[in-house]
Amino acid sequence: MGLYSSFIGRKFKHIAGKKYEDIIKHYREFLLTEEERQIPEINSILMPLDRYVKNVPEEVYETISAYEARILLVYILDSQVFELVRQTLSPEASEEFRRKEEVMGEELLNNVAKKLESYGLKVQRRMFFGNKSDDVIRMAENYDMLAISKNYGSEITKTSPISPLVLKIIQHLEIPVIVY
């Protein structure tokens, strides 16, 4: 707080007199501490994808490439959805749904990986059945940053510009997050 305190002290020296101490006290929660001003070292980035992530904006590739980090692209097939399809329709319908989802996932993983590799980044790909939010939260513990689409997990609407799944994930993480 030394830098901000002296800045506010100079800014309000002749204007507010001793009131600047009140200003510091009232705005303390909006000012960054010395620890918060440290730029975290980013060596690994987790990037979850799913059927709702239609494309990754060019700005995201450019931003991620600035870190020169290793990247894990993960496509999580929602196991509850497949179980629901199996129970309500048939095992064959669930299998057909799984095949189409895997083809879509492979295509998306390959497209995003190819684009990231064009920036010289090391990219790993992984696809598995699981819980889209819990697995991302668990996996993010081993990464320095998360880059996630605001559409991850569901379509967005005018009233909800970010997927509820993304909100849940963000609330459970302590690492930097890029929401695109």
Side-chain angles (χ1 to χ4, degrees):
M1 288 299 291
L3 179 65
Y4 293 114
S5 299
S6 65
F7 172 74
I8 291 174
R10 285 194 314 266
K11 177 89 175 160
F12 296 101
K13 183 178 178 182
H14 301 293
I15 298 172
K18 294 188 179 200
K19 290 185 178 182
Y20 80 90
E21 292 173 6
D22 288 337
I23 294 168
I24 289 173
K25 191 170 97 183
H26 287 98
Y27 291 96
R28 181 169 306 205
E29 64 190 62
F30 299 107
L31 300 174
L32 296 175
T33 64
E34 293 295 327
E35 295 166 344
E36 292 170 331
R37 291 189 316 121
Q38 298 292 325
I39 297 172
E41 190 171 319
I42 307 295
N43 294 316
S44 58
I45 299 172
L46 176 64
M47 194 169 180
L49 303 169
D50 72 352
R51 64 175 28 248
Y52 301 103
V53 180
K54 301 299 181 206
N55 64 1
V56 178
E58 192 67 30
E59 294 83 13
V60 174
Y61 292 116
E62 292 171 2
T63 302
I64 290 175
S65 69
Y67 293 108
E68 298 179 7
R70 67 181 168 83
I71 299 168
L72 175 62
L73 298 175
V74 62
Y75 193 100
I76 300 173
L77 304 162
D78 195 334
S79 58
Q80 291 179 338
V81 171
F82 290 100
E83 183 61 26
L84 191 63
V85 170
R86 191 182 69 73
Q87 289 177 357
T88 55
L89 298 176
S90 68
E92 294 80 22
S94 178
E95 189 62 27
E96 178 65 23
F97 184 63
R98 182 187 62 82
R99 275 195 295 271
K100 287 181 179 178
E101 186 80 13
E102 285 177 343
V103 168
M104 185 186 323
E106 283 293 331
E107 185 178 328
L108 184 59
L109 285 171
N110 290 334
N111 289 340
V112 174
K114 194 178 296 182
K115 189 71 176 179
L116 288 167
E117 289 168 347
S118 73
Y119 281 92
L121 298 168
K122 296 177 185 170
V123 181
Q124 294 179 317
R125 301 166 221 185
R126 190 168 167 210
M127 179 184 292
F128 62 91
F129 282 92
N131 183 300
K132 290 184 175 189
S133 60
D134 294 343
D135 287 336
V136 169
I137 291 168
R138 181 184 47 77
M139 294 174 74
E141 293 174 1
N142 300 320
Y143 287 85
D144 299 325
M145 178 183 275
L146 177 73
I148 191 167
S149 168
K150 61 185 175 186
N151 295 353
Y152 181 76
S154 68
E155 295 286 342
I156 60 170
T157 63
K158 284 183 178 178
T159 56
S160 178
I162 294 178
S163 148
L165 213 61
V166 173
L167 286 174
K168 177 186 174 187
I169 291 169
I170 292 171
Q171 290 171 345
H172 285 84
L173 299 182
E174 294 183 10
I175 60 174
V177 177
I178 296 174
V179 179
Y180 58 91

